[in-house]
Amino acid sequence: YMVPTVYMPLAAMPMTPNGKIDRKALPEPEVSAETENVPPETERERQFYEIAAELLGTKAFGVTDNLVSLGLSSIGAMGLAARLHCTWNLHIPATRILRSPTIRAMIALAEQGEGCTQPPFVHYAKREFYPLMENQRDIYRAWEQNSRATQYNIPKVIPFARVEGEALAGALQDALNAHEYLKTRFIYVEGDVMQKPGDGDSPAVSLRELDREPDRDFFQSRVLPFDLLGGRLYRLEIYTFDHRSWLFADIHHMVYDGISANVFLAEVRRALTGESLRGESFSALDFSLYERELQSREEYAHGNDYFLGLAEGAVPAVLPDSPSPDGKRVGTFALSIPAGEVNRFYKDLGVTPGSFFQAVFGETLRRVTGEEKILYVTTSGGRSAFPGLMDSVGMFAKTLPVVSKNPGEMTVREYVREVHRQLSETYARECCPCTELLKSRGIIPETMFIYQGGISEQEPSSITLEPNATRQPFYVDFLAQGQVYVFHVTYDGRRYSRSAVETFAGMVKHIALGFVREKYVKDVK
């Protein structure tokens, strides 16, 4: 892993007036497309290579190539970590994979035993009640303030061609029994909200035949608030018409996240083919106990120190209120950015697309607010503590801070790499919930940016539904869709106007393309 990826001959090293090497004047490495791929040479290299090739969908790489440059995202790294664990009981954290993203580097980690100890996750004795995870506690508080809001609903409508309603209902019941955490309920126990397992409950799936084809408005009307105290937190409804079926799945974020949606729907499709579902190795209930234990460990305190240091001197980023806001609770706006130049840039740089767009978004927001150092929040998958969690359903996603500061004389490549490094350090500490820690310092973020590549995969024929409130006043989803990236904003229309949001989105697009074309950040106007 210490072998350089690129060599460049120079006639002489650029020097400063003081006689030292002028590192800023060094040319950017140019990766030749003709570089020969180094094939696997050992059985272990071949085994690692086959797993990576399957995840990346290509074999056009070698064992010394940077897998991030080939499209390995943070979620992909978690999937790779899960496959390595399931295949060889080998635990290499996703964050270590992203820091050493070549086949040979990962094998070196495995042989040295560095970062590859057995995971600290254990099975716990079954309990009647379980504590809330910290991320769930934040959602519950938001519900207490407005129990009629649906901003934490996760609705999805998926048409199923040539699938009978009864068969789909049976597959849903099988998936619910394999992932019984979805049956969990929340109740008060001795003055605190606790989780109560619902593994004794029968799966609730409704089936209804319609006299006409349902449209988006029909399903939008089905997005209703959930009762978080004692109520069931999922709605699985099947509607049929003219030998076609539609699945309406609305599940609350308290028990579900983006990766859970991928896991659950994949299980439904497996059940439709007659495949037996094996269930979960580790449940979110067990993880709630693990998280509680973790709070007494040294790495938890170190994580808190890291977040406080990261946030020191940063101002929570707040998009300026519009003079004439829309006046409605929720507004939405979407804009597309061509993928071609962006893809070539981040792959050549060896960073993830998420890191590239976090850098773009942070710099745009910093310029709009006029601050030198700003803070907003993003999310992570939250499953890096144990690879087996990649097959579990639950609310594991973590809210994490991102800090953007004035890049000064930095080149675009230096700046994007610095953001990538910051995100890697932050994701490595995702086990430490930081929202309450930031609030204790008076830091209450109002802006959230989420890069959804590899997290929430959009079904080609699915129907998009909207909440009746926003999670943050300014909430951004960045989606990879074919040959474009889609910048999708959900905003508080009582504070912002559509024209202001459209202008901001246009700035994001302009700066993204400017990052690709200019050398220095300051030259992106």
Side-chain angles (χ1 to χ4, degrees):
Y1 69 96
M2 293 183 68
V3 176
T5 304
V6 179
Y7 293 89
M8 289 186 67
L10 298 179
M13 288 289 184
M15 309 299 286
T16 67
N18 295 327
K20 296 182 179 180
I21 294 177
D22 187 354
R23 296 181 181 275
K24 291 184 178 180
L26 288 169
E28 293 289 348
E30 297 177 359
V31 181
S32 171
E34 299 179 358
T35 301
E36 183 179 355
N37 294 331
V38 179
E41 296 178 357
T42 67
E43 182 60 28
R44 177 54 62 93
E45 285 186 353
R46 281 188 284 275
Q47 292 170 337
F48 270 61
Y49 179 86
E50 290 299 326
I51 291 176
E54 182 179 344
L55 288 171
L56 293 170
T58 180
K59 290 191 173 183
F61 65 96
V63 295
T64 60
D65 289 338
N66 186 325
L67 301 186
V68 170
S69 298
L70 295 164
L72 183 70
S73 65
S74 57
I75 299 301
M78 292 170 65
L80 180 55
R83 288 289 302 275
L84 295 176
H85 174 75
C86 293
T87 306
W88 296 296
N89 200 30
L90 177 65
H91 183 61
I92 303 179
T95 52
R96 295 305 307 272
I97 290 175
L98 290 174
R99 287 201 292 263
S100 305
T102 72
I103 299 296
R104 285 193 174 165
M106 285 184 275
I107 291 175
L109 286 174
E111 292 175 346
Q112 296 164 10
E114 183 180 354
C116 305
T117 58
Q118 291 300 311
F121 202 93
V122 297
H123 287 286
Y124 296 88
K126 189 173 181 179
R127 301 186 180 188
E128 185 177 3
F129 306 108
Y130 292 78
L132 292 188
M133 290 181 273
E134 290 303 312
N135 49 1
Q136 291 176 317
R137 198 171 296 279
D138 288 337
I139 296 173
Y140 180 79
R141 287 172 182 153
W143 176 80
E144 282 187 314
Q145 295 173 4
N146 184 2
S147 62
R148 303 302 299 169
T150 61
Q151 75 266 38
Y152 287 106
N153 289 37
I154 304 179
K156 185 180 282 285
V157 179
I158 303 174
F160 281 81
R162 298 181 299 279
V163 175
E164 294 295 330
E166 291 81 1
L168 182 55
L172 286 166
Q173 291 169 347
D174 289 345
L176 275 171
N177 286 330
H179 300 278
E180 294 196 292
Y181 183 71
L182 291 176
K183 304 175 186 177
T184 299
R185 304 192 185 217
F186 296 84
I187 62 174
Y188 264 114
V189 179
E190 298 180 356
D192 195 12
V193 181
M194 303 285 284
Q195 302 187 75
K196 179 177 174 57
D199 46 16
D201 295 349
S202 299
V205 180
S206 67
L207 176 59
R208 176 183 166 191
E209 185 174 357
L210 302 176
D211 56 8
R212 62 181 177 85
E213 182 174 330
D215 57 14
R216 181 185 180 280
D217 290 341
F218 172 83
F219 291 114
Q220 184 67 57
S221 69
R222 301 296 306 150
V223 182
L224 303 171
F226 283 97
D227 179 6
L228 262 59
L229 281 179
R232 186 181 290 118
L233 297 184
Y234 68 89
R235 298 189 189 98
L236 297 174
E237 302 169 357
I238 302 169
Y239 297 92
T240 63
F241 172 75
D242 192 25
H243 305 292
R244 289 175 290 168
S245 300
W246 289 262
L247 167 61
F248 171 76
D250 191 9
I251 304 176
H252 200 276
H253 205 15
M254 285 285 279
V255 294
Y256 205 60
D257 59 17
I259 296 177
S260 297
N262 293 344
V263 171
F264 185 71
L265 292 172
E267 292 281 74
V268 171
R269 296 188 185 282
R270 290 190 190 100
L272 280 171
T273 65
E275 185 178 341
S276 297
L277 308 183
R278 65 176 183 271
E280 299 179 351
S281 302
F282 304 97
S283 76
L285 293 173
D286 282 334
F287 190 80
S288 71
L289 298 176
Y290 166 74
E291 185 182 86
R292 181 64 60 91
E293 284 186 3
L294 188 64
Q295 294 177 9
S296 63
R297 296 184 183 177
E298 187 176 357
E299 62 259 41
Y300 194 89
H302 288 166
N304 287 343
D305 292 341
Y306 167 80
F307 287 126
L308 288 176
L310 181 66
E312 185 177 2
V315 177
V318 181
L319 198 69
D321 287 7
S322 303
S324 302
D326 291 350
K328 55 186 179 182
R329 290 184 61 88
V330 180
T332 61
F333 178 78
L335 176 146
S336 63
I337 299 175
E341 289 182 275
V342 170
N343 289 351
R344 287 190 292 272
F345 180 85
Y346 80 74
K347 289 180 180 180
D348 177 54
L349 195 56
V351 302
T352 64
S355 294
F356 174 82
F357 283 113
Q358 291 276 10
V360 169
F361 180 79
E363 177 62 9
T364 307
L365 194 58
R366 192 193 63 78
R367 293 185 182 190
V368 169
T369 59
E371 300 288 350
E372 288 293 298
K373 185 177 181 181
I374 61 167
L375 181 147
Y376 62 94
V377 290
T378 189
T379 62
S380 71
R383 300 163 190 251
S384 61
F386 191 79
L389 293 174
M390 287 298 291
D391 295 324
S392 298
V393 167
M395 172 41 180
F396 298 101
K398 297 293 193 297
T399 300
L400 299 170
V402 182
V403 169
S404 178
K405 56 186 178 182
N406 192 335
E409 298 296 321
M410 295 176 74
T411 67
V412 171
R413 297 170 77 91
E414 289 171 339
Y415 177 63
V416 174
R417 283 195 181 109
E418 172 58 25
V419 172
H420 181 71
R421 183 203 62 77
Q422 179 195 138
L423 290 169
S424 297
E425 293 290 331
T426 297
Y427 292 154
R429 294 167 174 83
E430 67 177 7
C431 61
C432 308
C434 66
T435 49
E436 286 303 308
L437 182 69
L438 295 177
K439 287 179 183 178
S440 71
R441 299 300 192 274
I443 301 174
I444 303 177
E446 296 190 16
T447 304
M448 175 174 279
F449 177 93
I450 301 175
Y451 177 75
Q452 296 278 22
I455 299 178
S456 182
E457 297 177 1
Q458 184 74 11
E459 297 275 345
S461 56
S462 64
I463 300 173
T464 302
L465 304 175
E466 301 291 348
N468 65 8
T470 61
R471 298 184 187 180
Q472 249 84 24
F474 199 75
Y475 181 90
V476 178
D477 282 307
F478 221 91
L479 309 168
Q481 292 186 352
Q483 298 304 308
V484 299
Y485 291 97
V486 178
F487 182 85
H488 183 269
V489 185
T490 305
Y491 62 94
D492 187 340
R494 296 165 299 181
R495 292 180 56 176
Y496 305 118
S497 66
R498 180 182 175 86
S499 62
V501 173
E502 183 176 356
T503 298
F504 181 85
M507 289 182 63
V508 170
K509 180 176 182 178
H510 178 78
I511 290 178
L513 297 177
F515 270 23
V516 171
R517 297 164 184 170
E518 299 288 350
K519 182 173 183 179
Y520 293 95
V521 178
K522 67 180 182 180
D523 291 335
V524 180
K525 304 297 185 181

